[in-house]
Amino acid sequence: MKNTTVVTQFFLLGLTSDPELQVPLFIMFTLIYLATLIGNLGIITLILLDPRLHTPMYFFLSNLSLVDVCYSSAVTPTVLAGFIPGDKIISYNACAAQMFFFAAFATVENYLLASMAYDRYAAVCKPLHYTTTMTRSVCAGLATGSYVCGFLNASIHTGDTFSLSFCMFNAVHHFFCDVPAVMILSCSDRHVSELVLVYVVGFNVFFALLVILISYIFIFIAILKMPSSTGYQKALSTCASHFTAVSIFHGTIIFMYLQPGSSHSMDVGKMASVFYAVIVPLLNPLVYSLRNKEVKSAFMKVLVEAKLSLGF
């Protein structure tokens, strides 16, 4: 029997219904979103302007910043709209589109982090062969593969979720159209869809984590063998930034998606979603730039050139 869709729109319950918290949260999330845009677009601009940053590491970092802007922009405006009085209604098609783009860019980030781990492995473990290992074609292939996997994954989840029937219940217990929050509203049997979600997300996450883990095992072995304390500290500092980003991103993704639907607490899920949908895109520019001398140097160079052009 073919599924039929009765629901034409969804009602987003938002992050909180407490009127006393809505104004402070609106201001806080607005500032976070602006900082996310400025930080990530600033990183992209610096990398484009400074030839010293035209390396594989910063190629992946610029793509990571672009993805952070995209998937943050897919969610945060809806979060902000949820704090404004009035109906929190999103159309059926808009909900599907939001789910698709968020899932796509979140998956792209997952594979970009794995690509960055491989890049760090090549830089630390095989420094003499780094330029021949991480060629432009290799970097372009890894980035392209990340985007292809992201959009393929989003197509699977969005198509699978919206092939279900939605009959009466249309109140999404979330601040955006996330897969588990929408899937749980279905009036048809969603057992197979939940298994697809768990297995596909599980494959994406654990494949990327396997690449990252193997890369870091070799990196740490190479670091322990380094005779120079300067090289040791530099390698460890670079890897620590990436490892921090990986831990925050993958930790919340695993918590949010790799659990059965029956045990899925939407209130707890919303808090986890805040981290990977709103906070992670803000943290990545900070994690990768605050302790990075090359980025700081490029920033100071841009400031000096700006002052000279303005006549200061």
Side-chain angles (χ1 to χ4, degrees):
M1 182 176 178
K2 188 177 180 180
N3 286 335
T4 57
T5 301
V6 177
V7 171
T8 59
Q9 59 187 18
F10 294 96
F11 180 80
L12 296 172
L13 296 182
L15 196 58
T16 180
S17 58
D18 189 341
E20 294 183 358
L21 292 176
Q22 288 182 345
V23 172
L25 286 176
F26 179 84
I27 295 172
M28 183 181 75
F29 278 93
T30 299
L31 293 175
I32 289 174
Y33 184 51
L34 290 175
T36 299
L37 293 179
I38 293 170
N40 284 290
L41 293 176
I43 290 287
I44 294 171
T45 303
L46 286 177
I47 292 171
L48 289 174
L49 293 178
D50 196 326
R52 294 173 299 174
L53 302 182
H54 294 176
T55 63
M57 174 182 172
Y58 293 106
F59 169 77
F60 290 118
L61 182 56
S62 62
N63 275 276
L64 187 71
S65 293
L66 176 62
V67 167
D68 281 337
V69 168
C70 290
Y71 92 77
S72 177
S73 296
V75 172
T76 311
T78 305
V79 179
L80 296 176
F83 298 128
I84 300 173
D87 292 334
K88 283 74 173 177
I89 292 174
I90 185 171
S91 70
Y92 183 90
N93 290 334
C95 184
Q98 183 181 58
M99 180 184 294
F100 176 83
F101 286 112
F102 178 78
F105 288 115
T107 308
V108 174
E109 173 139 347
N110 174 62
Y111 282 108
L112 281 177
L113 289 171
S115 299
M116 293 173 78
Y118 177 72
D119 172 67
R120 292 300 83 205
Y121 155 77
V124 174
C125 300
K126 298 182 178 181
L128 298 179
H129 302 284
Y130 181 66
T131 55
T132 56
T133 302
M134 299 303 295
T135 61
R136 286 189 178 184
S137 59
V138 169
C139 293
L142 289 172
T144 302
S146 298
Y147 285 97
V148 169
C149 290
F151 283 90
L152 178 61
N153 178 67
S155 299
I156 292 171
H157 291 313
T158 307
D160 187 43
T161 301
F162 284 91
S163 67
L164 299 171
S165 297
F166 298 94
C167 306
M168 295 174 58
F169 304 104
N170 67 339
V172 180
H173 195 5
H174 214 308
F175 52 84
F176 74 103
C177 288
D178 201 9
V179 178
V182 175
M183 188 179 289
I184 203 170
L185 300 178
S186 173
C187 56
S188 56
D189 184 8
R190 61 178 185 271
H191 177 69
V192 174
S193 296
E194 289 178 346
L195 289 178
V196 169
L197 174 66
V198 171
Y199 286 132
V200 174
V201 172
F203 172 80
N204 287 325
V205 171
F206 288 114
F207 178 77
L209 283 177
L210 182 63
V211 173
I212 293 168
L213 179 62
I214 293 172
S215 298
Y216 271 107
I217 289 173
F218 284 107
I219 286 170
F220 287 136
I221 291 173
I223 287 175
L224 292 174
K225 292 180 179 179
M226 288 181 178
S228 170
S229 60
T230 304
Y232 175 91
Q233 291 174 357
K234 183 178 180 181
L236 196 61
S237 176
T238 302
C239 295
S241 299
H242 181 261
F243 191 77
T244 302
V246 168
S247 300
I248 297 171
F249 180 79
H250 285 96
T252 51
I253 290 289
I254 291 171
F255 177 82
M256 186 64 190
Y257 295 105
L258 300 184
Q259 55 179 315
S262 57
S263 65
H264 201 101
S265 169
M266 285 302 160
D267 286 324
V268 177
K270 282 195 285 187
M271 295 302 104
S273 297
V274 168
F275 277 95
Y276 73 81
V278 180
I279 304 300
V280 168
L282 171 68
L283 291 180
N284 279 342
L286 300 177
V287 168
Y288 285 104
S289 62
L290 284 181
R291 298 179 64 184
N292 191 307
K293 293 180 180 179
E294 292 173 326
V295 173
K296 289 180 181 179
S297 176
F299 180 67
M300 294 306 298
K301 180 182 176 182
V302 170
L303 283 182
V304 171
E305 290 177 352
K307 288 181 178 179
L308 290 175
S309 63
L310 294 173
F312 289 106

